[in-house]
Amino acid sequence: MRVLVVEDDHETADYITSSLRAEGHLVDHCNNGKDGFLNALDNDYDVMVFDRMLPGLDGLTLIKSVRGAGVDTPIMFLSAMDGINDRVEGLQAGSDDYLIKPFSYHELSARLTALVRRPPLKAEETILRVADLEMNLIRRTVSRDGTPIDLQPREFGLLEYLMRNADRVLTRTMLLEAVWDFHFDPKTSVVETHISRLRNKIDKPFSVELIHTIRGAGYSLHE
Amino acid sequence: MNKTPLLNRLRRSTSVRLSLRFALLYSLLTALVFAVAYKMADYEITHWIKDQLIEEEAVFVGTYNTRGLDGVIADLEAYGIFNFEDNRISLLLDADGRRLAGNVSRIAGDVASGYADASAIAFIGPDENDSFGFVLRNIPLGSNTLVLGTSTYLQAELLEGLGGGLLTGFIFTLMVGAGAGIAVGRRTEHRLRQVSSTLNHVANGDLEARVPLGRNDADDLSRLSAEINRTISQLQQLVDSQKQISADIAHDLRTPMQRIWQRLEAIGQSPELPEALAGDVYETIDAADDLIETFHALLRISQIEAGARRENFSQIDLIAVLNRIEDAYGVVAEEKNQTLTFAVGPNPLSVLGDQQLLTQMMANVIENALRHCPPAARIEVALFLRNDGVVFTVSDNGQGIPEQERQKVFRRFYRVEKSRTTPGNGLGLSLVKAIADLHSAVILLSDNRPGLNVTVTFPKTSETVN
């Protein structure tokens, strides 16, 4: 995908752009708000990453200007400020997600992917499939290789989120936010425990593992 | 506070009480001064009457010596002509006590005492006297006795007038004094209330609050108010600069932290990384994570304490919040072989607040119990409505917290000795306290015999129960 990164700290910018390029994405980089604005208008990006504090034009003004110019490309906002009001401001100005520094590349990458390919939420979609795993959203049933699997409601919710985002890396924070609406980092292993339980039901009785742990990043559901 | 009846409020007010006390004191002093004035007037008039009688005695003795008894009788008759409303009496008696002249026929009682009641006097002819009594003087004229008397009527009239005047004056002083006392007291009370309400606002985080200053700023209350305002301004500057420092730290330390993290991640992903070092690198990343987490928690507490998040308040259904928490932590407790039970009140229980923070607070308290209790511990969570508000409790049968440590655990970085070995930064309960304070909730730690009981009471609002 094509990504525009507007970030003035060259080390962070290098880190983001080289990591994204290493994954095969096309990346443009600007180190100030004015160039960022011109680039955002001229080119057809899939997603854009803006730092909050930028020389020339600050991130908030940049987002407003870009949105004001009619560009509706998803924007990820990076900031050292984690106040709720800073976040609200960022989202209200027109960003689609907000990542607080310091962040891990995995978190950024996982969220960017989620932004670009939002899960299809078609009303007629009633059955999710990943390999031989099948989820019926109407009947609220799950089966693998034809064998019915009995899931608790929250296990169902967790699996649904994993299946809708199959092949993507989902970080612990993304799972906490999406499944439990927790916007803090629990001291106990909430995500790990739930994933482990889910694995016991989804993976253990079968030969092929579907839930994969991505070290230092999170989890991914794929064959 | 404004709803207490005025009288009660006035009675409780120090300034009103003081003013009334002074008003009473001044009135008593005035009454004393008036009483002395009255007594002195009485004394002076009595003396004046007696002196007049003494002078008249000299005149009659003179007449007796030069013109004899007939001269005295003639003078007495002339004396009678000028007697207005029988205010003067005279009675001349011979040696046997028979009346020789005078305007009264008889004076009963002891004449020598120098005073006679009006009832003891028998006037000759119609009695026009209104007096209560007469001041008398016995004047021996040879073997005869002349009794002269002056009515106390004028004295009584004078004193009555004076007394009435003084009493009116006293009542007036009392009323003006009490009225002025209440007015001054109420004014002072009003200004003290302004001061206390301002300080209340400041205590609740509104550092914009100031004590209103009157036009006349010379009195001590105005000086005190100005002093208080100056203190609040300094406090505000201090808090502002602290906030600025927090923001600066946030920005200035995060970038280097970001770099440390980036480099560690890059090292961790490098294909050339020897297998033996990979574990160390990920442990270092975890340590950096802990550092960042502590840092986040500190900033979050400062931010919550600054009250900035109050702007996002809405009605939050705590039952729904607790359901999500139960869902998340139920399996965690099972894994640890602990029993986690939830008892939730029958109504939708809602409070005015910030959903994310309330979730974090309730989760933190439950997590604390899960982390600090041994396996097989029983942890009971309850949410219910009580008279004083919505109550959230978490009770366990673990080790508990010694009484002398229960307040200290809310301090930043404070950790109970025996929990030092468990991971954590000592900020969890500080955050819980900050969130409780933000929601005007009262948090109480008590002994569960054995174990700890945490009670958070949210103030009741009209929308608590839908």
Side-chain angles (χ1 to χ4, degrees), chain A residues 9-13 15-16 19 51 53 79-85 87-88 100-106 153-155 179-190 193-194 196-197 215-216, chain B residues 250-251 254-255 257-259 261-263 265-266 269 278-279 282 292-293 296 299-300 303 308-309 311-312 324-325 327-329 331-332 334-335 354-356 359-360 363-364 367 370-371 424-425:
Chain A
D9 179 62
H10 75 273
E11 196 166 331
T12 305
Y15 169 71
I16 299 172
S19 303
D51 185 28
M53 289 193 189
S79 175
M81 296 190 277
D82 79 335
I84 185 95
N85 292 330
R87 283 192 250 180
V88 168
I100 290 150
K101 286 180 178 177
F103 57 88
S104 136
Y105 171 73
H106 293 292
R154 191 59 53 178
E155 290 167 344
V179 181
W180 293 280
D181 195 21
F182 281 6
H183 297 263
F184 59 95
D185 191 15
K187 294 281 170 292
T188 46
S189 41
V190 171
T193 310
H194 282 270
S196 149
R197 295 224 154 187
R215 196 169 185 187
Chain B
H251 192 253
R254 272 166 207 243
T255 307
M257 278 186 190
Q258 177 69 50
R259 289 175 182 167
W261 199 341
Q262 284 164 197
R263 286 176 194 173
E265 249 187 359
Q269 282 157 17
Y282 280 105
I292 287 157
E293 182 53 41
H296 274 316
L299 280 175
R300 201 163 163 103
Q303 182 201 353
R309 295 190 67 140
E311 294 162 19
N312 307 304
R324 277 185 290 117
I325 294 173
D327 199 273
Y329 289 100
V331 296
V332 177
E334 268 178 51
E335 291 293 313
D354 179 310
Q355 171 153 336
Q356 288 186 15
T359 309
Q360 183 167 12
N364 268 16
E367 265 195 338
L370 288 172
R371 288 168 64 225
N425 49 25

Side-chain angles (χ1 to χ4, degrees), chain B residues 84 123 159 184 215 266 325 366 386 389 449:
Chain B
F84 172 67
F123 277 90
L159 288 179
V184 168
R215 269 157 293 172
I325 294 173
I366 293 169
R386 207 167 55 191
R449 299 163 202 277

Side-chain angles (χ1 to χ4, degrees), chain B residues 28-93:
Chain B
L28 284 176
L29 277 175
T30 312
L32 193 68
V33 168
F34 283 5
V36 168
Y38 184 88
K39 272 282 155 203
M40 282 179 69
D42 188 20
Y43 177 83
E44 285 295 326
I45 296 169
T46 309
H47 257 259
W48 175 70
I49 292 172
K50 283 181 178 169
D51 286 350
Q52 188 193 25
L53 287 172
I54 290 169
E55 277 177 29
E56 285 175 3
E57 175 182 355
V59 170
F60 277 105
V61 169
T63 305
Y64 181 72
N65 290 342
T66 52
R67 289 159 56 209
L69 202 58
D70 289 339
V72 172
I73 293 169
D75 276 3
L76 277 178
E77 273 165 13
Y79 184 82
I81 295 169
F82 299 106
N83 190 2
F84 172 67
E85 288 190 350
D86 292 335
N87 271 319
R88 307 298 310 271
I89 56 168
S90 56
L91 180 61
L92 183 62
L93 301 168

